[in-house]
Amino acid sequence: MRQRQALTACFFGEGAMAEGAFHEAANLAALWQLPVLYCCENNLYAMGTALARSESQTDLCVKAASYDMATVRVDGMDVVAVHEAVQGAAQQVRATGRPVFLELQTYRFRAHSMFDPDLYRDKAEVEAWKTRGPIHTFTARLKAQGSLTEEEFLALDAAAQAEVDAAVAFAEAGNWEPVADLLRDVYTPQGSA
Ligand SMILES: Cc1ncc(C[n+]2csc(CCOP(=O)(O)OP(=O)(O)O)c2C)c(N)n1
């Protein structure tokens, strides 16, 4: 509406794509020619439910294309391929002012949450996907082309671990929000409902 060159990127899983809200939004984004980049992380399982068990059409690009939207499918385990696909798709959204749907084919190595016993998939399937882990494969690629030494990798790895450790420590040392703040960002003034 502001006629800016900005675009909106939405991230969601293939399970979320099965919800009606996605389909209503996709229809209007295409109809009204909105600059939206839909980034669907297809990791094959909606929590513990396999795509093929819950969807009649398992080709997510076919579904998105039915709203007259351009679609791009990319190997979500390949860092370089993802970078190029996102750049290209974002350029297309900006150039056409129309939505683009990006399917990033990926996988979740761990259980969905601490309450998930992870009994709905083969251990062998998980192990096979792990060999395609993006940190592992991208590191190997950089080393093979001489852009990264083992020492540099270890330093980067330690820095990333330190950043996560600091974030966890910060969160654990934080205070709970006061109950009085619960309605702070609610539009309706207190007592008027
Ligand atoms: C509107 C809504 N419907 C249902 C749920 C319950 N729910 C939580 S996670 C989930 C599955 C999400 O699947 P996906 O988008 O593939 O994400 P992933 O399992 O890969 O994290 C569902 C149905 C919810 N949180 N919100």
Side-chain angles (χ1 to χ4, degrees):
M1 292 178 80
R2 291 177 179 169
Q3 305 295 315
R4 294 191 321 208
Q5 270 296 86
L7 64 82
T8 297
C10 300
F11 294 83
F12 49 94
E14 86 294 339
M17 188 175 167
E19 302 247 339
F22 170 82
H23 295 275
E24 295 163 35
N27 175 57
L28 289 181
L31 183 68
W32 292 344
Q33 306 196 4
L34 304 180
V36 183
L37 180 57
Y38 289 108
C39 303
C40 181
E41 296 169 9
N42 179 8
N43 64 7
L44 300 173
Y45 295 90
M47 293 177 73
T49 306
L51 185 60
R53 283 197 68 194
S54 58
E55 295 297 302
S56 59
Q57 173 56 270
T58 56
D59 186 328
L60 305 180
C61 286
V62 166
K63 281 179 143 178
S66 74
Y67 294 104
D68 193 21
M69 202 186 295
T71 64
V72 184
R73 182 176 287 130
V74 63
D75 178 358
M77 305 301 260
D78 182 334
V79 175
V80 177
V82 169
H83 187 242
E84 284 170 1
V86 173
Q87 266 186 332
Q91 212 165 24
Q92 190 175 344
V93 173
R94 288 204 167 90
T96 63
R98 299 178 61 94
V100 171
F101 176 84
L102 201 58
E103 178 189 348
L104 305 139
Q105 295 186 316
T106 185
Y107 201 75
R108 163 165 49 74
F109 297 147
R110 293 192 184 177
H112 178 84
S113 72
M114 60 195 288
F115 305 108
D116 172 8
D118 207 359
L119 300 175
Y120 44 81
R121 54 187 189 174
D122 261 4
K123 299 288 171 258
E125 178 185 293
V126 181
E127 291 312 310
W129 275 92
K130 276 186 184 170
T131 64
R132 298 177 52 199
I135 294 177
H136 160 71
T137 54
F138 189 51
T139 301
R141 191 191 297 193
L142 290 176
K143 281 182 179 170
Q145 68 192 34
S147 309
L148 185 75
T149 64
E150 177 65 9
E151 293 69 42
E152 286 167 333
F153 167 73
L154 290 174
L156 280 171
D157 198 48
Q161 190 60 50
E163 192 177 335
V164 173
D165 291 345
V168 171
F170 174 80
E172 284 179 347
N175 296 317
W176 290 100
E177 280 287 300
V179 173
D181 278 3
L182 277 178
L183 298 178
R184 192 180 51 201
D185 296 318
V186 176
Y187 288 106
T188 309
Q190 286 182 40
S192 70

